[in-house]
Amino acid sequence: MPSYPDIHPFIAGRSRPSTSSHTFRSVDPSTSLPIATIHSASPADIDAAVTAARSAFPSWSSTPPAARGKILLQAAALLRQHNDELATIETHDTGKPFSETSTVDIVTGADVLEYFANLVAGGGLNGETTQLRDDAWVYTTKAPLGVCAGIGAWNYPIQIALWKSAPCLVAGNCMVYKPSEVTPLHATRLAEIYKEAGLPDGVFNVVHGDGAAVGQHLVSHPGIAKVSFTGQVSTGQKVAASAAGGMKYVTMELGGKSPLLVLPDSPLEDAVDGAMMANFFSTGQVCTNGTRVFVPKSMKPAFEKLLVEKMKNVRMGALMDPQTNFGPLVSEVHARKVAGYIKHGKDVDRARVLYDGRDQSVGSLPESLRKGFWQPAIIFSDCTDDMKIVKEEIFGPVMAILYYDDSGDYLDKLIARANDTELGLAAGVFTKDLNLAHHIIARLEAGITWVNTWGESPAEMSVGGWKKSGVGVENGRRGIEAWVRNKSTLVEMGGKVVTAFEAAVVENRSGSSKL
């Protein structure tokens, strides 16, 4: 059984004992056994972290952007060097198979560090100039915000920490980062890597604890200039409301209930592979998952047959086994939530169960894993738009297939059904007709969209939700703008100030004028 030393706040370049007596445990989801004790931050610890960041800010923000970028590039190199170590930590903490964490989580986080480091070194923080007239011009500059709060999610802990900290730090800000209390193990190790790369003490700090106490105190702290949050919609709304009271900048990346549209001309295998990636990768714990799969009725028998056949390639098992590609859910609380949705889908929604992995998978697990938070994949078919499992985000390995009549003019109705949700994080379409694909993508109400693929979010791609799925974007060229504030300056070079308050000229009765 894995075991880790006690974890404390990381403030001003070192771990320091928390002044709070409250502790909680990180649990290995595959076994349900505790693997580490985490010490929550007290209000005094949070104040100390913010103070350390504010003390570091003047020097760090005045460091040339290229020099800041070099430190981040060194951190990216260290992340790649320690990839397997960090991936093992992520696997123990999240329950994701090592085959996934070792090829995705750390790799994509390091990619973002390199992207923003190179972007800024290449002039990504440069402003603009505008010639107004011969003797006047305007220029803009970008200034860092100050001390920012990053609040991470539990499904991609180190990746999300890097998505937030990379643009924040390279733009000249400092950060106080709070990981999810469900998956906290990565945070101190990331802080140590930043320090080893040359990041000055106080620029990146870590505090631990739950959202109600630690998160709320951090978000409402008067020394915080911006809050970047990733998590569920209801929590994001509370965080945004609290931040708005202090006129803080915010970036919110929230949940989704994303539509995946399979058109009648789509190659069958592509459509099935796409639907599986959009529902079962990372055990379905991905905010952009395409959990509403719209399939033409003409394709129904072939689609269902191939989908069920391919489900044998979803393999539960020991998480460090390279053949395992499907892990447990992240926690007992979340496993109960997902199981509740599945029960509702069967008993209340009365959706047809096309495939239930529990029938084949649980018994194959080693005895040591059977107390873990395992929820095999399940596929509901013949779903309707009003079902609870179709309308609400489940965040687990639950696919809902919705069929549509493709015998006539179906497109307008299909797009309307796809958009019939309060959320708008992601959407995608599978078709051979790329012109039609672009037409459909333009009408889908989502901030992240794909054509003939699903899920990839490279560093170069700005991502963010529409509607209740978020505010602002992360990554890409636009991602850096979320971490700076603009200053505009007008320069007059004519040698005389234009004024509306010249001395008045008054004519007397003799016709002469005088002041």
Side-chain angles (χ1 to χ4, degrees):
M1 185 181 70
S3 178
Y4 292 86
D6 282 17
I7 295 177
H8 296 269
F10 189 97
I11 299 172
R14 64 182 181 90
S15 290
R16 48 181 275 180
S18 172
T19 59
S20 169
S21 61
H22 179 67
T23 63
F24 59 96
R25 288 181 169 182
S26 176
V27 173
D28 181 345
S30 70
T31 63
S32 77
L33 296 175
I35 55 177
T37 297
I38 319 298
H39 294 256
S40 285
S42 68
D45 295 326
I46 298 169
D47 293 346
V50 174
T51 298
R54 294 185 73 175
S55 296
F57 177 71
S59 175
W60 178 245
S61 61
S62 61
T63 300
R68 297 196 298 258
K70 286 181 181 179
I71 293 174
L72 265 63
L73 288 174
Q74 178 60 25
L78 289 170
L79 286 168
R80 298 193 191 282
Q81 179 182 331
H82 294 282
N83 181 81
D84 288 0
E85 171 207 340
L86 294 165
T88 300
I89 292 173
E90 291 292 85
T91 290
H92 291 159
D93 212 17
T94 66
K96 294 196 288 187
F98 184 76
S99 63
E100 179 182 334
T101 58
S102 62
T103 58
V104 176
D105 296 49
I106 291 83
V107 172
T108 55
D111 286 346
V112 170
L113 272 179
E114 290 176 339
Y115 175 79
F116 281 112
N118 289 319
L119 176 67
V120 168
L125 291 178
N126 289 351
E128 301 172 343
T129 60
T130 302
Q131 190 76 42
L132 294 179
R133 47 188 179 270
D134 288 344
D135 54 4
W137 57 292
V138 169
Y139 69 91
T140 64
T141 54
K142 295 178 172 67
L145 303 172
V147 179
C148 303
I151 301 179
W154 49 253
N155 58 333
Y156 279 86
I158 197 166
Q159 183 206 67
I160 291 172
L162 289 163
W163 278 25
K164 296 184 185 307
S165 61
C168 172
L169 302 185
V170 82
N173 302 290
C174 298
M175 175 167 276
V176 179
Y177 172 65
K178 190 197 87 66
S180 166
E181 62 271 30
V182 179
T183 54
L185 296 185
H186 67 287
T188 295
R189 190 69 188 96
L190 175 59
E192 291 170 347
I193 285 174
Y194 272 139
K195 181 178 176 68
E196 185 180 349
L199 196 71
D201 293 348
V203 174
F204 184 77
N205 309 273
V206 178
V207 294
H208 294 278
D210 64 18
V214 176
Q216 176 58 32
H217 188 83
L218 181 60
V219 168
S220 61
H221 198 289
I224 295 294
K226 172 184 172 152
V227 178
S228 177
F229 172 84
T230 298
Q232 64 183 15
V233 174
S234 58
T235 306
Q237 290 173 320
K238 295 174 184 176
V239 171
S242 178
M247 297 303 290
K248 304 178 192 297
Y249 294 82
V250 295
T251 301
M252 296 280 145
E253 199 275 292
L254 308 177
K257 193 67 180 176
S258 303
L260 186 159
L261 279 55
V262 177
L263 299 195
D265 70 334
S266 173
L268 177 62
E269 190 157 10
D270 289 353
V272 169
D273 287 343
M276 290 179 67
M277 280 297 294
N279 281 271
F280 304 131
F281 187 73
S282 215
T283 320
Q285 298 170 119
V286 184
C287 53
T288 55
N289 267 2
T291 53
R292 294 185 295 142
V293 181
F294 291 90
V295 177
K297 288 182 178 179
S298 62
M299 194 184 285
K300 180 176 181 177
F303 185 88
E304 291 192 350
K305 181 176 184 294
L306 184 59
L307 178 58
V308 171
E309 288 176 359
K310 280 181 170 282
M311 290 303 294
K312 68 178 182 293
N313 298 325
V314 177
R315 297 182 296 274
M316 300 166 59
L319 299 184
M320 298 304 292
D321 184 340
Q323 296 302 311
T324 299
N325 59 17
F326 187 93
L329 294 175
V330 74
S331 69
E332 184 178 7
V333 170
H334 189 57
R336 286 200 302 265
K337 173 187 172 185
V338 173
Y341 273 107
I342 292 172
K343 187 176 188 304
H344 191 281
K346 292 177 178 179
D347 299 344
V348 181
D349 289 335
R350 299 288 183 180
R352 177 168 65 93
V353 178
L354 175 66
Y355 173 88
D356 190 344
R358 185 168 294 278
D359 299 336
Q360 294 93 357
S361 302
V362 173
S364 66
L365 288 172
E367 187 68 31
S368 61
L369 299 180
R370 293 187 185 179
K371 291 185 179 180
F373 312 130
W374 298 89
Q375 173 54 63
I378 187 167
I379 302 171
F380 289 107
S381 189
D382 296 325
C383 296
T384 58
D385 297 324
D386 59 345
M387 291 179 176
K388 183 176 181 178
I389 58 171
V390 173
K391 295 176 69 68
E392 298 183 14
E393 184 178 38
I394 300 174
F395 221 66
V398 183
M399 181 191 296
I401 303 175
L402 302 97
Y403 290 100
Y404 64 91
D405 185 356
D406 57 319
S407 61
D409 294 331
Y410 63 87
L411 201 56
D412 287 345
K413 185 176 180 181
L414 175 61
I415 293 173
R417 291 178 67 190
N419 288 334
D420 186 18
T421 171
E422 293 182 328
L423 306 176
L425 188 58
V429 59
F430 283 76
T431 176
K432 291 179 182 178
D433 188 340
L434 291 182
N435 284 334
L436 179 60
H438 290 304
H439 171 72
I440 293 172
I441 288 293
R443 296 175 62 187
L444 292 175
E445 297 170 354
I448 308 166
T449 54
W450 293 284
V451 175
N452 294 331
T453 186
W454 195 278
E456 185 178 5
S457 297
E460 297 84 356
M461 181 179 180
S462 295
V463 293
W466 288 14
K467 298 191 275 192
K468 288 187 177 181
S469 287
V471 176
V473 301
E474 295 182 311
N475 296 345
R477 297 188 67 87
R478 285 192 58 214
I480 197 71
E481 297 296 332
W483 299 95
V484 294
R485 48 190 170 184
N486 187 80
K487 179 178 290 187
S488 296
T489 304
L490 192 154
V491 181
E492 172 61 55
M493 302 181 296
K496 180 176 174 57
V497 177
V498 177
T499 176
F501 303 106
E502 298 282 359
V505 177
V506 180
E507 289 193 2
N508 58 26
R509 292 183 179 179
S510 65
S512 61
S513 61
K514 63 179 180 180
L515 294 180

